[in-house]
Amino acid sequence: MLDADFVEKVAEVDTEAAAIFEHMNGYQAVRTHFFDAFFTAASAAGIRQIVILASGLDSRAYRLAWPSGTTVYEIDQPKVLEYKAATLAEHGVEPAATRREVPMDLRYDWPAALRAAGFDPAQPTAWLAEGLLMYLPADAQDRLFEQITELSATGSRIAAETAGVQAEDRRQEMRERFERIAEKFEMTATLDIQQLIYEDPERADVAEWLDAHGWTATAVNSQQEMRRLDRWALPAELTDDSAFSTFVTAEKVS
């Protein structure tokens, strides 16, 4: 989807799908920009303890200009962290802050593993849950934020990307459309990401949950942020507010 020539070829057979590809690229850029700015502001406020949940291939420990004394904790499954560290080391890339791996599945006792890696709950922390909440059912999302709250000193900050909700008929339509494109361009099938996503109607509104548990939260609609940065690419008929995520930031006040 990052290949402009490929997107042009897709447009020849499905203009709407090509627009979706372009839009997805724009969304990733806007999301990255937003959360980069979150960490920059947290650092400017004096926070030197960073935790990235389900960090995956996140490269912020390497590419952001962290102040001296900053420690970035990356929590994810062991093989993910091993692959990333080995790949970057092969290219001679060094982190810009102290980077500490926490090889732990979030379904288990990750707070204990985080503490064992040197995390200090008495110090303010900047947390990030990006590209994560949609893969959790409602009760797991609540539990995650409960654990974060328990580990957060006053003055801590958190940023999260919420899970958008898309109607099942629309999801099925998109699945079939991308299957046709994959067949047309002989793309090898891997997995259906939609099968990993929980469309849980009981999911709490993240900003409201945080406001009720000792945080002061602000929510920014991702559509508005994409339009502000001139990265919106979808036609009007695909604009469904509930299907798009919200970027939430909050500060611990009690």
Side-chain angles (χ1 to χ4, degrees):
M1 291 189 296
L2 292 175
D3 185 339
D5 292 338
F6 172 72
V7 175
E8 287 182 7
K9 292 177 181 178
V10 170
E12 294 174 1
V13 296
D14 190 330
T15 55
E16 187 175 288
I20 292 170
F21 283 177
E22 181 183 351
H23 187 82
M24 291 173 69
N25 291 337
Y27 177 81
Q28 296 294 335
V30 168
R31 182 178 75 172
T32 300
H33 179 272
F34 185 91
F35 293 125
D36 281 1
F38 163 77
F39 279 131
T40 298
S43 295
I47 294 177
R48 298 292 181 264
Q49 190 164 245
I50 310 299
V51 179
I52 302 177
L53 300 155
S55 58
L57 303 184
D58 189 298
S59 62
R60 290 185 175 92
Y62 294 82
R63 63 178 180 76
L64 294 187
W66 298 105
S68 176
T70 300
T71 301
V72 179
Y73 295 89
E74 296 184 359
I75 306 177
D76 211 320
Q77 300 190 45
K79 289 185 177 180
V80 175
L81 295 176
E82 290 169 8
Y83 170 79
K84 178 167 65 175
T87 301
L88 291 170
E90 287 174 7
H91 292 274
V93 181
E94 296 292 335
T98 299
R99 176 177 173 269
R100 294 184 180 172
E101 296 183 350
V102 184
M104 177 63 66
D105 190 309
L106 291 175
R107 290 174 294 183
Y108 306 120
D109 192 2
W110 63 267
L114 182 61
R115 285 192 179 97
F119 175 85
D120 182 2
Q123 299 299 317
T125 304
W127 303 83
L128 177 62
E130 177 187 26
L132 169 60
L133 300 184
M134 65 281 293
Y135 302 116
L136 304 179
D139 58 346
Q141 175 178 299
D142 288 349
R143 179 56 183 154
L144 179 70
F145 284 116
E146 289 168 0
Q147 291 168 312
I148 292 170
T149 299
E150 290 168 2
L151 292 168
S152 294
T154 299
S156 292
R157 300 186 182 192
I158 187 170
E161 173 194 20
T162 70
V165 179
Q166 195 171 71
E168 178 55 36
D169 58 346
R170 180 61 178 169
R171 294 174 65 190
Q172 181 60 31
E173 176 191 340
M174 297 306 299
R175 185 181 295 113
E176 294 171 355
R177 167 174 277 157
F178 291 141
E179 286 174 353
R180 290 194 297 270
I181 291 172
E183 182 178 358
K184 170 73 176 178
F185 294 100
E186 299 181 346
M187 299 166 64
T188 303
T190 52
L191 56 85
D192 180 2
I193 295 295
Q194 294 290 342
Q195 292 181 351
L196 305 178
I197 295 175
Y198 285 90
E199 295 281 348
D200 195 332
E202 301 302 318
R203 187 186 301 278
D205 179 283
V206 173
E208 291 178 0
W209 192 99
L210 291 169
D211 279 337
H213 291 82
W215 302 78
T216 297
T218 301
V220 176
N221 184 285
S222 63
Q223 284 197 51
Q224 296 174 354
E225 190 69 359
M226 291 186 73
R227 293 182 189 279
R228 184 180 74 84
L229 296 173
D230 196 25
R231 298 302 292 263
W232 187 265
L234 291 183
E237 59 269 21
L238 293 183
T239 303
D240 177 2
D241 287 344
S242 63
F244 295 93
S245 66
T246 298
F247 303 145
V248 176
T249 57
E251 182 172 353
K252 184 82 179 301
V253 293
S254 64

